[in-house]
Amino acid sequence: MVYVLNENGQPLMPTENHAKVRVLLRQGKAKVVNNCPFTIQLLYSSTNYTQPVTLGVDAGSKHIGLSATTEDKELYAADVELRNDIVKLLATRRASRRSKRNRKTRYRKPRFNNRKRDKGWLAPSIKEKIGTHLKVVDDTCKLLPVSKIIVETASFDIQKIKNPDVKGTDYQQGEQLGFWNVREYVLFRDGHKCQCCKGKSKDKILNVHHIESRQTGGNAPNNLITLCETCHTGYHKGTIKLPAKIKRGMKFKDAAFMGIMRWAFYGELKKRYPDVSLTYGYITKNTRIENELPKEHYVDARCISGHPLARPLGTVFYIKKVRCHNRQIYKFKILKKGVRKRNQAEYEVYGFRLYDKVSWKGRTCFVFSRKSTGYITLRLLDGTRVKESASYKKIKLLRMRSGYLIESRSVIF
């Protein structure tokens, strides 16, 4: 499929007539705008006739499915992988800043109470994912004359998941009703007894311990457990192990994200495009099962678009959102004589940057690491190794890196 833009850069209907495209390029009547997906722009005035194109968007917390279809044919299919490292990076930055303040400005007056969040504030991790959703929809609308957008956004009843019998006023009387805070509830739930030694240590000091770190597991009651001071200290020293039955409860991180991003994403789309509507997961699932289609994000998106039986494109564009820049200047580990190694690599090594799209022996891949000796590690976006150490002399640059890496994959149904 070749995507076509008119003289003014507006999208027209794509074409599968590759011979005509080659003639236009050879005669200088068109130019190549992008190689993946292959897009040309006409250099002469043309008619702007288009057909109705519906874009289905399968929104998610880890992957996004996109499918643009007409009544009988699929024009575009993509699977977008979102970033999930924002929380970890923010925690690392917070630890680094606290360490620096403790060393440099120990007696500075605290200013954390001066901060105020704006109305509609979103956590950085959620804001980044919503931005990626909007970006990939905008990019698709720049390729195709999309006339309608249908979005599937899931809605989760977390209290119903925890307790299927909840109803009516039970929603207002949760498990922590009558307790001052989570700590008091956890101590009461565990009977004010250490869940490791069951009181055998005779230690009367009780602590509330995070089964998973607070960074990944949060302060939810099912991530907290009561331990005595002896067991708590021994666990962190590595001398005591917790019983195997002590495990983290159900996680609702993805469900909470979808609940937050649902209306923020839909509301922003309504501002940008005239015809935007919502659908729900149970409708998509029913459509997919009725038509005996495989469970894939881009297949769900095709069902969302309303044309599940449209002829598949046969090619899926796999897009991966990556970090644009590493702002951590130095590594945490301090070497002898107080030397700290730089954490940032060189901007270019023998003309190549990290995540550049390159060609090596006829294979298209990406730069995943570079060495000062001139040897480069090449991989596909799913992590498959193409070459561990390839000489930069045998590599050809296809496309400079950006925040969105894209590769084409053939799919057989």
Side-chain angles (χ1 to χ4, degrees):
M1 187 73 70
V2 177
Y3 301 94
V4 184
L5 308 179
N6 67 8
E7 192 177 19
N8 299 320
Q10 299 302 315
L12 301 175
M13 296 303 293
T15 179
E16 292 180 305
N17 190 345
H18 296 174
K20 185 176 180 179
V21 172
R22 284 194 294 268
V23 170
L24 291 174
L25 292 173
R26 193 181 306 118
Q27 294 178 352
K29 294 183 178 181
K31 65 178 182 180
V32 178
V33 177
N34 198 352
N35 286 324
C36 188
F38 194 81
T39 310
I40 65 170
Q41 182 177 3
L42 303 179
L43 301 178
Y44 61 92
S45 299
S46 62
T47 58
N48 293 327
Y49 171 75
T50 58
Q51 301 174 22
V53 177
T54 304
L55 175 62
V57 182
D58 181 21
S61 62
K62 295 179 181 177
H63 286 263
I64 309 171
L66 296 170
S67 179
T69 61
T70 59
E71 290 187 0
D72 57 349
K73 186 166 58 176
E74 185 177 48
L75 305 178
Y76 179 82
D79 183 356
V80 185
E81 182 181 345
L82 300 171
R83 286 183 64 186
N84 286 289
D85 59 345
I86 304 294
V87 175
K88 183 178 180 181
L89 291 173
L90 290 176
T92 303
R93 186 183 70 178
R94 181 170 60 249
S96 179
R97 286 182 174 177
R98 285 181 176 177
S99 175
K100 181 180 178 181
R101 287 169 187 155
N102 185 55
R103 297 194 313 268
K104 305 289 186 180
T105 57
R106 185 179 300 175
Y107 303 106
R108 191 184 71 182
K109 292 183 179 180
R111 296 186 297 176
F112 49 82
N113 287 332
N114 299 341
R115 307 295 187 260
K116 182 180 178 181
R117 292 176 177 173
D118 297 331
K119 186 178 180 180
W121 177 88
L122 294 172
S125 57
I126 297 175
K127 187 176 180 181
E128 197 277 337
K129 290 183 179 183
I130 293 175
T132 303
H133 277 74
L134 294 170
K135 169 68 174 173
V136 295
V137 171
D138 289 343
D139 288 348
T140 306
C141 292
K142 291 176 182 178
L143 281 180
L144 294 166
V146 175
S147 55
K148 184 178 182 180
I149 300 175
I150 304 176
V151 182
E152 179 202 297
T153 55
S155 177
F156 297 94
D157 188 342
I158 295 178
Q159 285 186 274
K160 197 79 171 178
I161 297 173
K162 291 180 180 179
N163 179 17
D165 299 326
V166 67
K167 60 181 179 180
T169 57
D170 294 341
Y171 281 98
Q172 302 172 3
Q173 300 175 357
E175 57 187 4
Q176 297 181 47
L177 181 67
F179 296 94
W180 287 100
N181 51 38
V182 180
R183 184 178 187 277
E184 185 182 0
Y185 166 73
V186 172
L187 293 174
F188 173 81
R189 181 198 65 191
D190 295 339
H192 291 83
K193 183 184 292 185
C194 176
Q195 299 301 299
C196 182
C197 68
K198 301 297 182 180
K200 294 181 181 178
S201 66
K202 304 297 182 181
D203 195 335
K204 295 182 179 180
I205 301 176
L206 298 178
N207 295 316
V208 174
H209 170 71
H210 288 82
I211 300 173
E212 288 184 358
S213 67
R214 188 176 63 176
Q215 174 187 323
T216 57
N219 290 324
N222 60 3
N223 189 42
L224 299 172
I225 197 163
T226 304
L227 294 180
C228 64
E229 182 75 16
T230 303
C231 294
H232 193 236
T233 303
Y235 172 79
H236 286 290
K237 286 184 177 180
T239 58
I240 293 177
K241 290 186 177 181
L242 299 181
K245 65 179 181 180
I246 298 179
K247 295 181 180 180
R248 170 76 156 92
M250 294 179 67
K251 297 182 181 181
F252 303 101
K253 183 163 58 176
D254 294 333
F257 163 76
M258 292 303 298
I260 296 171
M261 71 85 63
R262 180 185 180 193
W263 296 113
F265 175 49
Y266 177 68
E268 187 61 32
L269 276 183
K270 291 284 286 184
K271 294 178 184 178
R272 299 186 183 191
Y273 302 100
D275 192 352
V276 181
S277 59
L278 283 176
T279 187
Y280 299 95
Y282 72 92
I283 300 175
T284 305
K285 181 179 179 181
N286 183 61
T287 304
R288 187 184 70 248
I289 293 174
E290 280 185 350
N291 294 282
E292 299 181 351
L293 296 172
K295 178 68 180 78
E296 297 289 348
H297 297 287
Y298 52 88
V299 175
D300 281 347
R302 196 194 324 150
C303 296
I304 293 167
S305 71
H307 306 125
L309 297 179
R311 179 167 61 88
L313 182 61
T315 300
V316 176
F317 296 103
Y318 184 79
I319 304 171
K320 185 175 183 179
K321 180 70 173 76
V322 295
R323 187 181 188 180
C324 293
H325 182 57
N326 178 12
R327 294 189 295 174
Q328 183 182 336
I329 301 175
Y330 297 101
K331 293 184 180 294
F332 285 118
K333 186 176 180 180
I334 301 176
L335 305 179
K336 294 181 179 179
K337 299 181 180 180
V339 176
R340 300 183 73 181
K341 295 182 85 174
R342 287 184 63 86
N343 187 58
Q344 296 176 345
E346 294 293 333
Y347 187 73
E348 283 189 3
V349 177
Y350 292 96
F352 293 99
R353 297 194 294 167
L354 193 65
Y355 299 131
D356 276 349
K357 192 173 186 178
V358 298
S359 175
W360 178 78
K361 292 187 177 180
R363 298 190 63 181
T364 302
C365 44
F366 294 86
V367 174
F368 266 67
S369 69
R370 303 154 300 160
K371 299 178 181 178
S372 59
T373 55
Y375 287 92
I376 296 174
T377 301
L378 304 176
R379 296 185 186 180
L380 301 179
L381 289 186
D382 60 358
T384 303
R385 293 185 180 182
V386 177
K387 181 66 175 177
E388 190 63 32
S389 295
S391 173
Y392 75 96
K393 298 178 182 179
K394 299 180 181 180
I395 298 174
K396 180 183 178 182
L397 178 65
L398 297 179
R399 182 178 179 179
M400 293 181 66
R401 65 149 292 167
S402 65
Y404 294 84
L405 310 181
I406 181 170
E407 70 180 10
S408 177
R409 297 179 179 176
S410 297
V411 180
I412 300 176
F413 290 95

